[in-house]
Amino acid sequence: MVSAGMLAGLESFGLLGVFDAVYGASAGAFNGAYFLAGQAAYGAAIYYENLNTRNFINIWRLFWEKPIVSLDYVLEKVLVQEKPLNWQVVLNSPIPLKVAVSSVGQLKARLLQGFTDREELFTALRASSEMPILTGGPIEFKDDRFLDAGLFQGIPIYTALEDDCSQVLVLLTRPYGARRKSPNFWDRQVGARIMDRWKKGLGSSYLKMPRMYNETLSFLEMMEKSLEKRPYVFSLSLSRHYPLIGRLEKDPARLRKAAEDGKKAVFLSLEGKCDFARGSKDFESFPPHVEKNP
């Protein structure tokens, strides 16, 4: 939700063209696709109009032995009928979308790119967001099986640097300095064991997720202090006192506000630094309902 708002801010300034590539992990991959399609603000509305319903999150599905979170609803209904993604524009874009995923077969982060049709693009988006247990098991695609990018690289900064990107803008979804907590009892006794059934060693990677995420944040902070030489890394985040937004948050007002505040973070970061942003007061809220693609 937060990074979707940030992308809407970048879109409002017409900044898509300044990027050479867009790297997305998990929900960030969906946000990146809408950004490349010129639909960032439209896509942000998905979170507070479509994904805060039982169609997406329904704990009662456990009794039917189905995943609590439905990616089928997102990919088959939302992106096609309710908030149609202009996927052809994404495929034809000179700016590539690079989707971070977690390889089950290789137990490492990978990038999926060079999509030739809608099916490949949507499968990559699903693979990047296939949250262990919440949405189901690994997704088979081409030569491997994949899970949510967060298992090995929740923030795809390392893959961008490996691609020799010299200037990287990172959109963070958590407030400034917010670290992830250590695995809880359920993670250790249930989650990790289930994942080891899919691939030996996957469970230990699952338990290392918070530590790896926190180490990445420390790496970003270090890179931002070293601006004398390339690569230049700059991150955007909400203030350190901003309340965390839960993964299963449903309150539309809170979700919409998170998008608005993500957008404001872009304005506040650029104001006074760029001619086109100086003096801008365009903090207009996202509409309570989006009828069609603007």
Side-chain angles (χ1 to χ4, degrees), residues 53-92:
T53 67
R54 286 190 177 183
N55 291 326
F56 181 57
I57 304 170
N58 189 349
I59 197 170
W60 294 105
R61 292 195 189 102
L62 286 174
F63 295 97
W64 308 324
E65 297 184 354
K66 293 183 178 181
I68 296 174
V69 177
S70 175
L71 288 179
D72 288 340
Y73 166 66
V74 179
L75 292 160
E76 297 173 11
K77 294 292 185 180
V78 178
L79 268 68
V80 176
Q81 300 175 14
E82 298 176 6
K83 297 287 191 302
L85 169 68
N86 196 336
W87 54 269
Q88 193 65 59
V89 173
V90 179
L91 296 184
N92 295 337

Short mmCIF file of all heavy atoms in Angstrom, two decimals, residues 53-92:
data_model
loop_
_atom_site.label_atom_id
_atom_site.label_comp_id
_atom_site.label_asym_id
_atom_site.label_seq_id
_atom_site.Cartn_x
_atom_site.Cartn_y
_atom_site.Cartn_z
N THR A 53 -11.36 -7.24 1.27
CA THR A 53 -12.63 -7.96 1.33
C THR A 53 -12.39 -9.46 1.52
O THR A 53 -11.26 -9.93 1.43
CB THR A 53 -13.42 -7.77 0.02
OG1 THR A 53 -12.70 -8.44 -1.05
CG2 THR A 53 -13.56 -6.30 -0.33
N ARG A 54 -13.47 -10.18 1.77
CA ARG A 54 -13.36 -11.64 1.93
C ARG A 54 -13.00 -12.34 0.64
O ARG A 54 -12.58 -13.50 0.66
CB ARG A 54 -14.68 -12.20 2.48
CG ARG A 54 -14.91 -11.88 3.95
CD ARG A 54 -16.09 -12.67 4.49
NE ARG A 54 -16.28 -12.42 5.92
CZ ARG A 54 -17.21 -13.03 6.65
NH1 ARG A 54 -18.06 -13.88 6.07
NH2 ARG A 54 -17.32 -12.76 7.94
N ASN A 55 -13.17 -11.65 -0.47
CA ASN A 55 -12.74 -12.25 -1.74
C ASN A 55 -11.24 -12.52 -1.72
O ASN A 55 -10.76 -13.47 -2.34
CB ASN A 55 -13.07 -11.33 -2.91
CG ASN A 55 -14.56 -11.23 -3.15
OD1 ASN A 55 -15.29 -12.20 -2.95
ND2 ASN A 55 -15.03 -10.06 -3.57
N PHE A 56 -10.50 -11.66 -1.01
CA PHE A 56 -9.04 -11.79 -0.95
C PHE A 56 -8.58 -12.46 0.34
O PHE A 56 -7.81 -13.41 0.32
CB PHE A 56 -8.41 -10.40 -1.07
CG PHE A 56 -6.90 -10.41 -1.05
CD1 PHE A 56 -6.18 -11.15 -1.98
CD2 PHE A 56 -6.20 -9.68 -0.12
CE1 PHE A 56 -4.79 -11.17 -1.96
CE2 PHE A 56 -4.80 -9.67 -0.09
CZ PHE A 56 -4.11 -10.43 -1.01
N ILE A 57 -9.05 -11.98 1.48
CA ILE A 57 -8.65 -12.52 2.78
C ILE A 57 -9.86 -13.12 3.47
O ILE A 57 -10.83 -12.42 3.76
CB ILE A 57 -8.05 -11.41 3.68
CG1 ILE A 57 -6.89 -10.71 2.99
CG2 ILE A 57 -7.61 -11.99 5.01
CD1 ILE A 57 -6.42 -9.47 3.72
N ASN A 58 -9.80 -14.41 3.74
CA ASN A 58 -10.92 -15.09 4.40
C ASN A 58 -10.39 -16.25 5.23
O ASN A 58 -10.02 -17.30 4.70
CB ASN A 58 -11.92 -15.61 3.36
CG ASN A 58 -13.20 -16.13 4.02
OD1 ASN A 58 -13.26 -16.30 5.23
ND2 ASN A 58 -14.21 -16.41 3.20
N ILE A 59 -10.33 -16.05 6.54
CA ILE A 59 -9.77 -17.06 7.43
C ILE A 59 -10.61 -18.34 7.46
O ILE A 59 -10.11 -19.42 7.77
CB ILE A 59 -9.60 -16.49 8.85
CG1 ILE A 59 -8.65 -17.38 9.67
CG2 ILE A 59 -10.95 -16.30 9.52
CD1 ILE A 59 -8.24 -16.78 10.99
N TRP A 60 -11.89 -18.23 7.08
CA TRP A 60 -12.78 -19.40 7.08
C TRP A 60 -12.39 -20.41 6.01
O TRP A 60 -12.83 -21.56 6.05
CB TRP A 60 -14.22 -18.97 6.89
CG TRP A 60 -14.73 -18.16 8.05
CD1 TRP A 60 -14.94 -16.81 8.09
CD2 TRP A 60 -15.08 -18.64 9.36
NE1 TRP A 60 -15.37 -16.41 9.32
CE2 TRP A 60 -15.48 -17.52 10.12
CE3 TRP A 60 -15.08 -19.90 9.94
CZ2 TRP A 60 -15.89 -17.63 11.45
CZ3 TRP A 60 -15.49 -20.03 11.27
CH2 TRP A 60 -15.88 -18.90 12.00
N ARG A 61 -11.56 -20.00 5.07
CA ARG A 61 -11.11 -20.96 4.05
C ARG A 61 -10.31 -22.11 4.66
O ARG A 61 -10.15 -23.16 4.03
CB ARG A 61 -10.26 -20.26 2.98
CG ARG A 61 -11.04 -19.28 2.10
CD ARG A 61 -10.24 -18.93 0.86
NE ARG A 61 -10.86 -17.85 0.11
CZ ARG A 61 -10.47 -16.59 0.12
NH1 ARG A 61 -9.41 -16.24 0.84
NH2 ARG A 61 -11.09 -15.67 -0.58
N LEU A 62 -9.77 -21.90 5.84
CA LEU A 62 -9.02 -22.97 6.50
C LEU A 62 -9.88 -24.20 6.69
O LEU A 62 -9.40 -25.33 6.61
CB LEU A 62 -8.50 -22.48 7.86
CG LEU A 62 -7.32 -21.52 7.84
CD1 LEU A 62 -7.02 -21.03 9.25
CD2 LEU A 62 -6.08 -22.19 7.24
N PHE A 63 -11.16 -23.99 6.93
CA PHE A 63 -12.06 -25.11 7.15
C PHE A 63 -12.35 -25.87 5.85
O PHE A 63 -12.83 -27.01 5.88
CB PHE A 63 -13.37 -24.63 7.78
CG PHE A 63 -13.20 -24.06 9.16
CD1 PHE A 63 -13.10 -22.69 9.35
CD2 PHE A 63 -13.12 -24.90 10.27
CE1 PHE A 63 -12.93 -22.17 10.62
CE2 PHE A 63 -12.95 -24.38 11.54
CZ PHE A 63 -12.86 -23.02 11.72
N TRP A 64 -12.06 -25.21 4.73
CA TRP A 64 -12.24 -25.87 3.42
C TRP A 64 -10.90 -26.34 2.87
O TRP A 64 -10.82 -26.75 1.71
CB TRP A 64 -12.89 -24.91 2.42
CG TRP A 64 -14.14 -24.28 2.93
CD1 TRP A 64 -15.09 -24.85 3.74
CD2 TRP A 64 -14.58 -22.93 2.69
NE1 TRP A 64 -16.09 -23.96 4.02
CE2 TRP A 64 -15.81 -22.77 3.39
CE3 TRP A 64 -14.07 -21.86 1.96
CZ2 TRP A 64 -16.53 -21.57 3.37
CZ3 TRP A 64 -14.79 -20.67 1.94
CH2 TRP A 64 -15.99 -20.52 2.63
N GLU A 65 -9.87 -26.25 3.72
CA GLU A 65 -8.50 -26.63 3.33
C GLU A 65 -8.03 -25.84 2.12
O GLU A 65 -7.41 -26.38 1.21
CB GLU A 65 -8.42 -28.15 3.08
CG GLU A 65 -8.72 -28.98 4.31
CD GLU A 65 -8.54 -30.47 4.06
OE1 GLU A 65 -8.29 -30.85 2.89
OE2 GLU A 65 -8.66 -31.24 5.03
N LYS A 66 -8.33 -24.54 2.15
CA LYS A 66 -7.89 -23.64 1.10
C LYS A 66 -7.06 -22.51 1.71
O LYS A 66 -7.19 -22.23 2.91
CB LYS A 66 -9.10 -23.05 0.34
CG LYS A 66 -9.88 -24.08 -0.46
CD LYS A 66 -11.00 -23.41 -1.23
CE LYS A 66 -11.77 -24.42 -2.09
NZ LYS A 66 -12.86 -23.77 -2.86
N PRO A 67 -6.20 -21.85 0.93
CA PRO A 67 -5.39 -20.75 1.46
C PRO A 67 -6.25 -19.60 1.97
O PRO A 67 -7.30 -19.29 1.40
CB PRO A 67 -4.56 -20.31 0.25
CG PRO A 67 -4.54 -21.48 -0.67
CD PRO A 67 -5.88 -22.15 -0.49
N ILE A 68 -5.79 -18.95 3.04
CA ILE A 68 -6.49 -17.80 3.60
C ILE A 68 -6.53 -16.65 2.60
O ILE A 68 -7.54 -15.96 2.46
CB ILE A 68 -5.81 -17.34 4.90
CG1 ILE A 68 -5.91 -18.44 5.98
CG2 ILE A 68 -6.41 -16.05 5.42
CD1 ILE A 68 -5.14 -18.11 7.24
N VAL A 69 -5.43 -16.44 1.91
CA VAL A 69 -5.31 -15.34 0.95
C VAL A 69 -5.41 -15.89 -0.48
O VAL A 69 -4.70 -16.83 -0.83
CB VAL A 69 -3.97 -14.59 1.14
CG1 VAL A 69 -3.81 -13.50 0.09
CG2 VAL A 69 -3.90 -14.00 2.55
N SER A 70 -6.28 -15.31 -1.29
CA SER A 70 -6.53 -15.81 -2.64
C SER A 70 -5.84 -14.98 -3.70
O SER A 70 -6.29 -13.88 -4.05
CB SER A 70 -8.03 -15.84 -2.91
OG SER A 70 -8.28 -16.22 -4.26
N LEU A 71 -4.75 -15.50 -4.26
CA LEU A 71 -4.10 -14.85 -5.39
C LEU A 71 -4.90 -15.08 -6.68
O LEU A 71 -4.78 -14.30 -7.63
CB LEU A 71 -2.68 -15.35 -5.55
CG LEU A 71 -1.67 -14.87 -4.51
CD1 LEU A 71 -0.30 -15.48 -4.77
CD2 LEU A 71 -1.59 -13.36 -4.49
N ASP A 72 -5.70 -16.15 -6.70
CA ASP A 72 -6.56 -16.38 -7.86
C ASP A 72 -7.50 -15.19 -8.07
O ASP A 72 -7.71 -14.74 -9.21
CB ASP A 72 -7.40 -17.65 -7.67
CG ASP A 72 -6.56 -18.91 -7.79
OD1 ASP A 72 -5.46 -18.84 -8.38
OD2 ASP A 72 -7.00 -19.97 -7.29
N TYR A 73 -8.06 -14.69 -6.98
CA TYR A 73 -8.96 -13.55 -7.07
C TYR A 73 -8.23 -12.34 -7.64
O TYR A 73 -8.76 -11.62 -8.49
CB TYR A 73 -9.52 -13.23 -5.68
CG TYR A 73 -10.20 -11.89 -5.59
CD1 TYR A 73 -11.37 -11.62 -6.30
CD2 TYR A 73 -9.66 -10.87 -4.80
CE1 TYR A 73 -11.99 -10.37 -6.22
CE2 TYR A 73 -10.26 -9.63 -4.72
CZ TYR A 73 -11.42 -9.38 -5.43
OH TYR A 73 -12.01 -8.16 -5.36
N VAL A 74 -7.00 -12.10 -7.20
CA VAL A 74 -6.24 -10.96 -7.67
C VAL A 74 -5.96 -11.06 -9.17
O VAL A 74 -6.19 -10.11 -9.93
CB VAL A 74 -4.90 -10.83 -6.91
CG1 VAL A 74 -4.10 -9.64 -7.42
CG2 VAL A 74 -5.15 -10.69 -5.42
N LEU A 75 -5.48 -12.22 -9.59
CA LEU A 75 -5.00 -12.37 -10.97
C LEU A 75 -6.12 -12.64 -11.97
O LEU A 75 -5.99 -12.29 -13.15
CB LEU A 75 -3.96 -13.49 -11.02
CG LEU A 75 -2.65 -13.15 -10.30
CD1 LEU A 75 -1.88 -14.41 -9.97
CD2 LEU A 75 -1.80 -12.22 -11.15
N GLU A 76 -7.20 -13.27 -11.52
CA GLU A 76 -8.26 -13.62 -12.45
C GLU A 76 -9.42 -12.63 -12.45
O GLU A 76 -10.16 -12.54 -13.44
CB GLU A 76 -8.79 -15.02 -12.12
CG GLU A 76 -7.73 -16.11 -12.29
CD GLU A 76 -8.21 -17.48 -11.80
OE1 GLU A 76 -9.43 -17.60 -11.52
OE2 GLU A 76 -7.38 -18.39 -11.70
N LYS A 77 -9.58 -11.88 -11.35
CA LYS A 77 -10.68 -10.93 -11.25
C LYS A 77 -10.20 -9.47 -11.24
O LYS A 77 -10.58 -8.68 -12.09
CB LYS A 77 -11.50 -11.21 -9.98
CG LYS A 77 -12.22 -12.55 -9.99
CD LYS A 77 -13.34 -12.58 -11.02
CE LYS A 77 -14.13 -13.88 -10.93
NZ LYS A 77 -15.23 -13.94 -11.92
N VAL A 78 -9.34 -9.15 -10.27
CA VAL A 78 -8.95 -7.76 -10.08
C VAL A 78 -8.18 -7.23 -11.29
O VAL A 78 -8.54 -6.20 -11.88
CB VAL A 78 -8.12 -7.58 -8.80
CG1 VAL A 78 -7.68 -6.12 -8.66
CG2 VAL A 78 -8.92 -8.01 -7.58
N LEU A 79 -7.09 -7.92 -11.66
CA LEU A 79 -6.23 -7.43 -12.73
C LEU A 79 -6.87 -7.53 -14.11
O LEU A 79 -6.41 -6.88 -15.06
CB LEU A 79 -4.90 -8.19 -12.74
CG LEU A 79 -3.76 -7.58 -11.91
CD1 LEU A 79 -4.09 -7.67 -10.43
CD2 LEU A 79 -2.45 -8.26 -12.20
N VAL A 80 -7.95 -8.29 -14.22
CA VAL A 80 -8.58 -8.50 -15.53
C VAL A 80 -9.90 -7.75 -15.65
O VAL A 80 -10.21 -7.16 -16.69
CB VAL A 80 -8.80 -10.00 -15.78
CG1 VAL A 80 -9.54 -10.23 -17.09
CG2 VAL A 80 -7.46 -10.74 -15.79
N GLN A 81 -10.71 -7.74 -14.56
CA GLN A 81 -12.05 -7.19 -14.65
C GLN A 81 -12.26 -5.94 -13.78
O GLN A 81 -12.83 -4.96 -14.24
CB GLN A 81 -13.08 -8.25 -14.24
CG GLN A 81 -13.06 -9.50 -15.11
CD GLN A 81 -14.00 -10.58 -14.59
OE1 GLN A 81 -14.85 -10.34 -13.75
NE2 GLN A 81 -13.85 -11.80 -15.10
N GLU A 82 -11.81 -5.99 -12.53
CA GLU A 82 -12.17 -4.94 -11.58
C GLU A 82 -11.25 -3.71 -11.69
O GLU A 82 -11.71 -2.57 -11.62
CB GLU A 82 -12.17 -5.50 -10.17
CG GLU A 82 -13.22 -6.61 -10.00
CD GLU A 82 -13.17 -7.26 -8.63
OE1 GLU A 82 -12.41 -6.80 -7.75
OE2 GLU A 82 -13.91 -8.25 -8.42
N LYS A 83 -9.95 -3.93 -11.82
CA LYS A 83 -8.99 -2.84 -12.03
C LYS A 83 -8.02 -3.31 -13.12
O LYS A 83 -6.87 -3.64 -12.86
CB LYS A 83 -8.20 -2.54 -10.74
CG LYS A 83 -9.00 -2.05 -9.56
CD LYS A 83 -9.45 -0.61 -9.77
CE LYS A 83 -10.04 -0.04 -8.47
NZ LYS A 83 -11.19 -0.80 -7.95
N PRO A 84 -8.49 -3.40 -14.36
CA PRO A 84 -7.69 -4.01 -15.44
C PRO A 84 -6.31 -3.39 -15.60
O PRO A 84 -6.17 -2.17 -15.74
CB PRO A 84 -8.55 -3.77 -16.68
CG PRO A 84 -9.94 -3.60 -16.17
CD PRO A 84 -9.78 -2.89 -14.85
N LEU A 85 -5.30 -4.25 -15.55
CA LEU A 85 -3.94 -3.83 -15.82
C LEU A 85 -3.72 -3.82 -17.32
O LEU A 85 -4.03 -4.79 -18.01
CB LEU A 85 -2.95 -4.79 -15.16
CG LEU A 85 -1.47 -4.64 -15.56
CD1 LEU A 85 -0.91 -3.33 -15.03
CD2 LEU A 85 -0.65 -5.83 -15.06
N ASN A 86 -3.17 -2.73 -17.84
CA ASN A 86 -2.86 -2.66 -19.27
C ASN A 86 -1.55 -3.42 -19.49
O ASN A 86 -0.49 -2.83 -19.68
CB ASN A 86 -2.74 -1.21 -19.74
CG ASN A 86 -2.80 -1.08 -21.24
OD1 ASN A 86 -2.50 -2.03 -21.97
ND2 ASN A 86 -3.17 0.10 -21.71
N TRP A 87 -1.66 -4.74 -19.45
CA TRP A 87 -0.47 -5.59 -19.48
C TRP A 87 0.30 -5.49 -20.79
O TRP A 87 1.52 -5.68 -20.81
CB TRP A 87 -0.87 -7.05 -19.21
CG TRP A 87 -1.93 -7.59 -20.12
CD1 TRP A 87 -3.27 -7.57 -19.93
CD2 TRP A 87 -1.72 -8.21 -21.39
NE1 TRP A 87 -3.93 -8.15 -21.00
CE2 TRP A 87 -2.99 -8.56 -21.91
CE3 TRP A 87 -0.58 -8.53 -22.14
CZ2 TRP A 87 -3.15 -9.19 -23.14
CZ3 TRP A 87 -0.74 -9.16 -23.38
CH2 TRP A 87 -2.01 -9.48 -23.85
N GLN A 88 -0.38 -5.17 -21.88
CA GLN A 88 0.31 -5.05 -23.16
C GLN A 88 1.31 -3.91 -23.12
O GLN A 88 2.40 -3.99 -23.70
CB GLN A 88 -0.70 -4.84 -24.29
CG GLN A 88 -0.10 -5.02 -25.68
CD GLN A 88 0.35 -6.44 -25.96
OE1 GLN A 88 -0.46 -7.38 -25.90
NE2 GLN A 88 1.63 -6.63 -26.25
N VAL A 89 0.96 -2.82 -22.44
CA VAL A 89 1.89 -1.69 -22.30
C VAL A 89 3.11 -2.12 -21.50
O VAL A 89 4.24 -1.73 -21.80
CB VAL A 89 1.18 -0.50 -21.62
CG1 VAL A 89 2.18 0.62 -21.31
CG2 VAL A 89 0.06 0.03 -22.50
N VAL A 90 2.89 -2.95 -20.47
CA VAL A 90 4.01 -3.44 -19.66
C VAL A 90 4.95 -4.29 -20.51
O VAL A 90 6.18 -4.13 -20.46
CB VAL A 90 3.50 -4.26 -18.46
CG1 VAL A 90 4.67 -4.78 -17.62
CG2 VAL A 90 2.57 -3.42 -17.60
N LEU A 91 4.39 -5.16 -21.32
CA LEU A 91 5.20 -6.03 -22.17
C LEU A 91 5.98 -5.23 -23.21
O LEU A 91 7.14 -5.56 -23.52
CB LEU A 91 4.32 -7.07 -22.88
CG LEU A 91 3.58 -8.09 -22.01
CD1 LEU A 91 2.84 -9.08 -22.90
CD2 LEU A 91 4.53 -8.82 -21.08
N ASN A 92 5.38 -4.17 -23.73
CA ASN A 92 6.01 -3.39 -24.79
C ASN A 92 6.90 -2.27 -24.26
O ASN A 92 7.57 -1.59 -25.04
CB ASN A 92 4.94 -2.78 -25.69
CG ASN A 92 4.15 -3.84 -26.46
OD1 ASN A 92 4.63 -4.95 -26.66
ND2 ASN A 92 2.94 -3.49 -26.86
#
